[in-house]
Amino acid sequence: MPRTWLEVSLDRISLNYRQIRRVAGSGVDLMPVVKADAYRHGATAVAQTLEHEGAQWLAVSNVEEGKALREAGIRARILVMADRIDSDPRAWRESRLTPVIHDLADLSQLSPGQPYHLKIDSGMGRLGTRASVAEIVERTRGTNIEGLMTHFASSANFGSDQTQRQHERFEQIRLGLDEAGLRPRWLHEASTNPLHFGQQHTWRNLVRPGYAIYGYVSRAAGKAPDEMLDVAPALSWKATILLVKEIEAGSPVGYGAQYVAPRPMRIGSIGAGYADGLPHRLGNRGQVIAAGRLAPILGAVSMDVTTIDLSESPELKAGDAVTLLGREGEVSIDARQMAREAGTIAYAILCGISTRVNRIYV
Ligand SMILES: *Cc1c(COP(=O)(O)O)cnc(C)c1O
């Protein structure tokens, strides 16, 4: 048994996709986001699964990710959301990747007729152009503008009007372009949150779910509308118990003696640490599932090893597995819970799982 590994359910990815498909309804296409190695679920296997489910579009962050999908035989359109058009010009062409343009000055670098999506910075203040309608009309003349998109900064926060203001800004640009006869085939604004919280006016004819594909939705702030998606995590994270021992009261545990046993204890050292992506911040805070029960992390999380309390799980021995993320019987830990304990976000937990943690598909 490896010291730590991931189990990914491609059936669950399919079910999540179908669930999103159903909620989006007819007239709205899905562009699942498989950037960052599909949030560590494995971009190739996830993309193949989604393509099999009928996805016509996939989104990645950079050229390298797009190229890898093409080399794996993916035929769907691939939108590259966050890279430079001058990075590896050959790869754009040879891998048939569709760029997102964030600056009108970059239009000159497109080859004639090359389709692209133009991103509007409608108020997030990150990627996308803040150019006026007039400038966009002028500079995109003669180009193959296939899509117009934006991205929301606070789409789970219903105590803020930022999303509405961003939507209005996007709509103003769209209308201006429409009046000038520019009607991009694809309009897209929504990621997981505006789908999950039923913000249908933002769905247009294409939506870009990432998080929900992997079974997660955000918790809303403020007075949230009804929740639409019923998705479930597709990834479990396991680690093997390397060693079990009994220690006396007063024994320190791990680097810096950050834990001292208050009583005689049965402890286990498991084969996962911060080099595998288990947050160092979980030291003395986090827990894992051991024999179907929550077992606290004792002391510091170290690079390759983490020590847990097995006093309540006497049946476990060296060589057995525990669950860092996932479910054993009635007990589960998901990336949101782990993130809360570690003072981070679930996205960062998932993407932070190191590449040295091998995946198996179940
Ligand atoms: C990552 C990303 C998404 C997907 O967001 P989720 O919250 O994971 O659904 C959509 N659009 C853009 C531009 C992104 O960067």
Side-chain angles (χ1 to χ4, degrees), residues 105-157:
D106 292 339
L107 289 170
S108 63
Q109 303 199 41
L110 294 171
S111 27
Q114 183 178 0
Y116 69 94
H117 293 213
L118 181 66
K119 187 165 183 179
I120 305 300
D121 178 3
S122 57
M124 179 167 181
R126 195 183 62 172
L127 291 174
T129 177
R130 294 168 93 104
S132 67
V133 169
E135 287 169 310
I136 297 172
V137 169
E138 165 70 21
R139 304 281 288 280
T140 60
R141 192 164 290 141
T143 66
N144 186 5
I145 178 169
E146 185 195 26
L148 191 69
M149 66 183 284
T150 193
H151 191 47
F152 298 127
S154 309
S155 53
N157 184 357

Side-chain angles (χ1 to χ4, degrees), residues 33 35 39 81 119 126 151 191-192 208-211 347:
V33 178
K35 64 191 178 190
Y39 299 35
M81 299 191 297
K119 187 165 183 179
R126 195 183 62 172
H151 191 47
S191 57
T192 292
R208 305 184 306 266
Y211 208 36
Y347 291 79

Side-chain angles (χ1 to χ4, degrees), residues 27 35 70 80 117 132 163 177 192 201 231 233 333 338 341:
K35 64 191 178 190
R70 280 289 178 253
V80 177
H117 293 213
S132 67
T163 306
L177 298 189
T192 292
H201 57 288
V231 291
I333 298 177
M338 185 183 279
E341 310 256 10

Side-chain angles (χ1 to χ4, degrees), residues 313-329:
S313 310
E315 65 270 56
L316 286 182
K317 53 187 192 316
D320 290 343
V322 299
T323 300
L324 310 184
L325 287 178
R327 170 175 291 281
E328 289 187 22

Side-chain angles (χ1 to χ4, degrees), residues 219 277-289 294-299 301 323-325 331-349:
R219 187 196 302 279
L278 192 65
H280 182 258
R281 292 275 298 273
L282 290 181
N284 274 335
R285 302 176 54 90
Q287 38 206 356
V288 306
I289 309 172
L294 291 175
I297 291 176
L298 305 179
V301 171
T323 300
L324 310 184
L325 287 178
V331 182
S332 69
I333 298 177
D334 69 18
R336 270 170 51 166
Q337 288 163 275
M338 185 183 279
R340 208 171 312 130
E341 310 256 10
T344 180
I345 59 172
Y347 291 79
I349 294 289

Side-chain angles (χ1 to χ4, degrees), residues 1-7 236-243 269-272 276 304 318-324 355-361:
M1 202 150 49
R3 46 186 283 288
T4 181
W5 74 96
L6 301 177
E7 294 178 359
S236 303
W237 185 4
K238 307 274 186 182
T240 299
I241 301 172
L242 303 174
L243 183 68
S269 294
I270 63 172
D276 301 292
D304 312 299
D320 290 343
V322 299
T323 300
L324 310 184
T355 52
R356 86 171 181 183
V357 184
N358 288 323
R359 263 181 311 253
I360 56 174
Y361 292 98

